[in-house]
Amino acid sequence: RRQVAHKVKAENLASARKAFHDLSLTSSAAAKLGLKVNQDGQRRTAFQLLAMSDVSFEQLSDIWPDLRSTPDVIRTALEADALYAGYAPRQQAEIAYFRRDDQVNLPADIDYQAIPGLSTELRQKLTRVRPVTLGQANRIEGMTPAALTSILVALRKTKTRSVA
């Protein structure tokens, strides 16, 4: 039953996403309807409008009354999707960055205890596992982008000192 309920919710969410991407307004039309948007001539979808901090679901429902029939659980998911949609391109760039650095070799003698920005737990795991590459370090449970960045910074500082 849970699988069926999940499937129905996923289908409803996909349908609602499509509707929010299909509905759109120009910036001037949005302003005439009381929405605070940049007057740049850009056409914005309901999804893009929902992502804006000054635009609420209720306002969009006033513009497009059919949206009122959106179930609360779908509405909540759409609001979360819209809120985080702006982060997706940044995350993709970070993923590309880390893939590039996936082949970065870590020195066998690297002192994880001396790297600022690493939690005690990660220092212990890194010292125990001794990953050979940054990619292997990335796959350690609990590893964060910030921790990987700390390791990279420490590596670059070491390389700079050894070149100088």
Side-chain angles (χ1 to χ4, degrees), residues 34-85:
L35 302 179
K36 294 179 184 175
V37 297
N38 289 339
Q39 292 304 301
D40 54 10
Q42 293 282 329
R43 188 166 201 80
R44 289 179 177 79
T45 66
F47 189 78
Q48 290 169 318
L49 292 167
L50 187 60
M52 298 176 164
S53 61
D54 293 335
V55 178
S56 70
F57 194 94
E58 289 75 21
Q59 288 173 298
L60 297 178
S61 295
D62 289 343
I63 296 167
W64 294 291
D66 289 348
L67 298 180
R68 289 188 186 117
S69 65
T70 305
D72 286 344
V73 67
I74 300 300
R75 172 187 168 167
T76 301
L78 280 172
E79 288 172 331
D81 284 355
L83 176 65
Y84 293 108

